[in-house]
């Protein structure tokens, strides 16, 4: 296990009615930028509730609305301008990962002299940020408790993740009832995303990280138990609560620190989103089993890892690693595509040609250096083709 520093300074208020704690924003200033997406927060009433609490606390609100799923740099720039022009004190995102990610880079951009895209391309330029707050409405990305933000420039087909300690939210409100209105599609995609975060951290060649591995298996079992429940019974509180809390821990450093894995399925998916603007979790679901098949074949020593996953997460009793590994991958495939109803291949999300595979693979290969099984550009093209 490598040395590491674990620091999550985000205060979490978890549970029904915890939005009342937005009144604490008054301790950080009197002017907030409220960042949200296409209007789901107005339809489910969270917007009105938040505005009333902020008003009562004496905090005035400037709005940045219309943040896109796969948030765009143009929207970030609008937010930075508002913060600078109006000398705003802090940012509050209400929504899923897209609203939160956008708010994070706005918060950093407000304290940076150049263009906000610099901060996406080069995380070392993120030195300061306005205080960041979030009210999470979709369990998936873990952005509510992590240091990352993912922003796209669709004019260049670029989507990159950036990250810095100062991007960790000061406070996040996690009220599972706010996710009752999440659609089947986004519930399934969110579950695939949090599972992928767990896989990216769990599949590592670093020995001796038992605590991290057992936490990861617990998270996966929770996601596998409750994803289907949330799909069939969207207002099941325990299902929504467990998914929400599991998603936060899949990416906040708890299961990554010590083994320091580089991620590889995410860089491949980010290229799909950058070129085709697809839903992140759907792209991950499509790529994950194809990636598992590929790395098991490329590096047979990974059979031990996949077999351990199969036995500890799926209860597979097969004693031969190679067979147990194949069973585990088959279980994963069935869960994602049949139980959760996620799209099975790239054609199913509207990607009907292989024309960009080479250039996407070249970029993804750069982003996944040091991962579980190193992948070349040619390997990634093969994975895209297998998923096609
Ligand atoms: O825009 P609104 O109207 O709010 O609707 C959203 C959006 O259409 C809707 N939604 C959210 N909460 C809802 C709801 N609809 C009904 N009821 C609710 N309670 O769901 C749609 C998707 O929202 P979005 O925020 O885009 O989804 P998600 O949370 O999956 O975020 C995806 C983005 O996060 C990035 C992804 O790449 C993608 O850009 N990621 C961020 C990470 C991070 N910060 O650590 C890591 C991830 O790996 C990921 O890359
Ligand atoms: Zn993700």
């Amino acid at each position: 296990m490598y040395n590491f520093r674990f620091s999550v300074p985000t205060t979490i208020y978890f549970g029904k009615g915890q939005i009342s704690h937005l009144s604490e924003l008054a301790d950080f200033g009197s002017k907030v930028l409220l960042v949200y997406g296409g209007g789901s927060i107005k339809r489910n009433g969270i917007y009105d509730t938040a505005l009333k609490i902020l008003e009562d606390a004496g905090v005035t609100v400037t709005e940045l609305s219309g943040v896109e799923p796969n948030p765009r740099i143009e929207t970030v720039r609008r937010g930075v301008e508002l913060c600078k022009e109006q000398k705003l004190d802090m940012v509050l995102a209400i929504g899923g990962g897209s609203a939160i990610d956008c708010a994070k880079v706005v918060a950093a951009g407000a304290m940076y002299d150049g263009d906000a895209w610099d901060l996406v391309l080069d995380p070392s330029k993120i030195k300061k940020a306005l205080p960041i707050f979030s009210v999470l409405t979709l369990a998936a990305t873990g952005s509510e408790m992590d240091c990352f933000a993912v922003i796209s420039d669709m004019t260049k087909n670029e989507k990159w993740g950036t990250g810095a300690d100062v991007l960790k939210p000061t406070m996040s409100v996690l009220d599972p009832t706010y996710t009752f209105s999440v659609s089947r599609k986004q519930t399934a995609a969110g579950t695939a995303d949090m599972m992928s975060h767990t896989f990216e951290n769990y599949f590592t060649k670093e020995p001796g990280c038992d605590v991290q591995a057992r936490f990861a298996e617990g998270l996966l079992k929770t996601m596998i138990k409750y994803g289907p429940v949330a799909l069939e019974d969207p207002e099941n509180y325990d299902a929504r609560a467990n998914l929400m809390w599991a998603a936060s821990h899949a990416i906040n450093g708890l299961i990554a620190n010590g083994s320091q894995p580089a991620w590889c399925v995410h860089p491949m998916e980010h290229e799909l989103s950058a070129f085709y603007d697809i839903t992140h979790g759907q792209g991950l679901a499509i790529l994950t089993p194809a990636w598992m098949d590929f790395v098991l074949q490329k590096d047979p020593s990974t059979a031990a890892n996949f077999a351990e996953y199969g036995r500890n997460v799926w209860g597979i009793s097969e004693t031969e690693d190679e067979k147990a590994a194949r069973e585990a991958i088959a279980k994963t495939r069935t869960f994602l595509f049949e139980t959760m109803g996620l799209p099975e291949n790239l054609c199913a999300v509207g990607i009907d040609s292989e024309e960009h595979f080479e250039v996407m693979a070249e970029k993804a290969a750069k982003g996944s250096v040091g991962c579980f099984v190193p992948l070349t550009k040619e390997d990634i093209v093969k994975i895209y083709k297998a998923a096609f």
Side-chain angles (χ1 to χ4, degrees):
M1 200 190 295
Y2 294 111
N3 292 355
F4 60 85
R5 169 177 168 269
F6 179 64
S7 164
V8 185
T10 308
T11 298
I12 299 289
Y13 285 111
F14 192 99
K16 288 177 199 169
Q18 294 282 39
I19 197 168
S20 61
H21 288 280
L22 285 186
S23 60
E24 293 171 22
L25 268 63
D27 299 340
F28 295 82
S30 59
K31 291 187 284 183
V32 67
L33 182 74
L34 171 61
V35 181
Y36 62 97
S40 72
I41 67 161
K42 291 195 169 166
R43 288 189 293 279
N44 55 25
I46 305 171
Y47 173 87
D48 287 338
T49 308
L51 251 54
K52 175 84 175 66
I53 294 164
L54 293 170
E55 191 188 344
D56 290 350
V59 177
T60 57
V61 172
T62 299
E63 295 192 18
L64 176 68
S65 63
V67 176
E68 311 80 0
N70 298 328
R72 311 293 201 263
I73 188 62
E74 292 83 357
T75 312
V76 172
R77 289 186 185 119
R78 274 200 288 130
V80 171
E81 250 178 64
L82 288 169
C83 288
K84 286 185 175 172
E85 275 168 18
Q86 301 184 24
K87 301 197 168 35
L88 304 182
D89 300 313
M90 55 201 151
V91 294
L92 164 64
I94 306 185
S98 295
I100 302 174
D101 285 4
C102 178
K104 285 177 171 179
V105 184
V106 166
M111 306 205 70
Y112 176 70
D113 277 340
D115 178 26
W117 187 244
D118 300 347
L119 308 176
V120 178
L121 295 182
D122 182 357
S124 72
K125 293 196 167 138
I126 304 176
K127 305 285 186 210
K128 288 186 280 182
L130 297 175
I132 298 158
F133 301 87
S134 85
V135 176
L136 182 66
T137 67
L138 199 171
T141 64
S143 189
E144 67 278 5
M145 208 178 172
D146 76 17
C147 66
F148 305 114
V150 186
I151 303 295
S152 299
D153 183 343
M154 297 308 275
T155 64
K156 301 184 190 135
N157 292 121
E158 304 237 346
K159 176 175 181 175
W160 298 110
T162 187
D165 259 3
V166 294
L167 298 189
K168 289 175 185 165
T170 299
M171 178 225 286
S172 287
V173 173
L174 275 60
D175 181 338
T177 66
Y178 289 169
T179 65
F180 285 177
S181 57
V182 175
S183 65
R184 276 184 80 84
K185 173 188 161 184
Q186 292 293 344
T187 298
T191 304
D193 189 24
M194 61 181 91
M195 285 176 72
S196 178
H197 299 158
T198 315
F199 289 143
E200 300 267 30
N201 292 323
Y202 175 68
F203 290 114
T204 162
K205 292 265 173 87
E206 178 61 18
C209 298
D210 290 44
V211 172
Q212 294 87 332
R214 301 296 87 78
F215 272 135
E217 287 158 0
L219 294 175
L220 287 167
K221 285 169 91 158
T222 305
M223 295 161 190
I224 288 163
K225 173 177 175 182
Y226 284 114
V229 178
L231 220 49
E232 293 319 313
D233 181 10
E235 303 202 1
N236 184 307
Y237 185 83
D238 287 340
R240 293 298 194 180
N242 277 283
L243 289 172
M244 201 172 218
W245 198 218
S248 300
H249 289 297
I251 193 172
N252 67 7
L254 180 72
I255 60 170
N257 289 331
S259 62
Q260 262 92 327
W263 290 16
C264 55
V265 182
H266 271 69
M268 289 190 262
E269 194 299 308
H270 284 168
E271 293 307 318
L272 296 178
S273 296
F275 277 82
Y276 298 100
D277 199 15
I278 66 168
T279 298
H280 175 62
Q282 292 190 331
L284 293 169
I286 294 165
L287 293 172
T288 295
W291 165 78
M292 287 178 168
D293 280 340
F294 185 86
V295 299
L296 177 60
Q297 195 206 346
K298 178 169 178 175
D299 176 355
S301 77
T302 61
N305 302 79
F306 289 118
E308 181 180 49
Y309 156 63
R311 293 183 190 117
N312 294 348
V313 174
W314 291 104
I316 290 170
S317 54
E318 170 60 53
T319 51
E320 213 180 295
D321 280 358
E322 158 79 23
K323 281 189 192 157
R326 298 228 171 266
E327 252 187 71
I329 298 173
K331 289 265 189 202
T332 310
R333 192 171 254 121
T334 305
F335 178 79
L336 293 170
F337 303 145
E338 291 176 25
T339 312
M340 297 305 289
L342 284 149
E344 286 188 42
N345 52 48
L346 297 178
C347 291
V349 290
I351 300 176
D352 55 8
S353 109
E354 300 184 4
E355 72 168 305
H356 299 302
F357 284 5
E358 294 277 332
V359 51
M360 291 187 329
E362 191 163 353
K363 286 162 73 185
K366 282 185 199 140
S368 60
V369 173
C371 68
F372 179 47
V373 173
L375 298 173
T376 63
K377 174 189 161 189
E378 291 70 29
D379 292 338
I380 295 174
V381 169
K382 284 183 194 151
I383 294 171
Y384 283 142
K385 287 189 175 176
F388 187 55

